[in-house]
Amino acid sequence: FVSPLEARIKYPRKEHENAGEHADRRNAGLFMALVEPQAPVDVTFPLSVENEIQFLASRDGLLAGLETKAAYYDLRQQHHKDSLREKTARNTDRMLELLMAAVKGGKTLQEARVGIAIAQFKALGEAEQQAAEERARRKLQNMPAGQRERMRERMAEMNHKEQVELAAASSDAEKEAFVRDRYKPSSHPPHELK
């Protein structure tokens, strides 16, 4: 048996004719409801080999864990929808708190986001982590020549740009405005959670 929510996560593009953006938004909403933010681990750019593998494996590993968690929810029942909406709001607020604290503590927003993704990944079970890391290593091996280096360069450039902008911020209020300007989760829950 596959619950309706689990089916939506596993097979998002088969449910709607216009599945692209809608499915991505829905999965992002479910992700925010079911994957709790964790305090970021310390990272620097360029990422260490270990952090790079964990970061690349985090999405895959977390989505695999999301399928397991989704099995407990039936979106045909209003109390499940309500519960997921509450969790989304709580996790969104927690994510903002973590990002604010990290930026006020001297990290860039990118360092905080990547650190949170790695921390969420490290919260998975050991078997899930190993499987996701193995898939990430295979993806890296199959990347065309130069693509990995370009990815590293883009991340480092983005991080440097944020460092310069945050260095110009003279107060915590300006740093908060920086985070709020860049962290904008959807204020509208996916249709399935309404």
Side-chain angles (χ1 to χ4, degrees):
F1 172 74
V2 177
S3 76
L5 180 57
E6 188 176 10
R8 285 186 176 101
I9 293 170
K10 282 186 177 178
Y11 315 108
R13 302 209 185 277
K14 293 181 180 178
E15 290 187 50
H16 302 283
E17 2 178 293
N18 184 12
E21 186 178 325
H22 178 74
D24 292 343
R25 198 176 129 220
R26 177 187 58 240
N27 286 344
L30 295 174
F31 187 91
M32 281 303 296
L34 298 174
V35 178
E36 294 183 15
Q38 305 287 322
V41 299
D42 289 330
V43 298
T44 56
F45 288 92
L47 293 173
S48 67
V49 174
E50 179 186 1
N51 282 345
E52 184 178 46
I53 295 290
Q54 290 174 339
F55 177 63
L56 294 175
S58 64
R59 183 177 187 273
D60 192 32
L62 292 168
L63 285 176
L66 188 63
E67 291 175 8
T68 304
K69 291 178 182 180
Y72 298 105
Y73 295 92
D74 181 356
L75 293 182
R76 295 172 291 189
Q77 297 183 20
Q78 189 60 42
H79 69 279
H80 283 176
K81 289 182 182 183
D82 294 343
S83 172
L84 289 169
R85 274 196 308 271
E86 289 170 18
K87 287 179 182 197
T88 299
R90 186 173 55 247
N91 287 345
T92 301
D93 291 344
R94 177 72 176 134
M95 178 67 87
L96 182 60
E97 289 172 15
L98 290 170
L99 293 173
M100 293 273 196
V103 169
K104 287 178 186 178
K107 295 184 188 311
T108 64
L109 193 57
Q110 182 168 4
E111 289 169 342
R113 284 180 166 164
V114 170
I116 289 170
I118 292 172
Q120 289 172 320
F121 175 73
K122 287 182 174 183
L124 294 173
E126 191 173 322
E128 292 169 310
Q129 286 183 35
Q130 288 176 349
E133 284 179 347
E134 183 57 37
R135 289 188 296 270
R137 282 188 185 90
R138 280 196 306 270
K139 286 179 186 175
L140 282 175
Q141 288 172 350
N142 294 331
M143 271 188 187
Q147 185 176 353
R148 184 176 185 179
E149 206 48 49
R150 285 191 301 274
M151 177 183 71
R152 285 179 177 162
E153 288 171 7
R154 279 193 308 269
M155 291 176 83
E157 286 172 13
M158 168 78 96
N159 194 59
H160 178 70
K161 181 180 174 188
E162 287 185 1
Q163 286 173 334
V164 169
E165 290 180 47
L166 286 168
S170 59
S171 68
D172 283 350
E174 288 179 1
K175 290 179 181 180
E176 284 183 18
F178 177 86
V179 173
R180 288 185 191 280
D181 186 47
R182 285 157 183 79
Y183 177 68
K184 296 184 179 184
S186 176
S187 60
H188 304 290
H191 175 71
E192 290 78 13
L193 299 184
K194 291 182 181 176

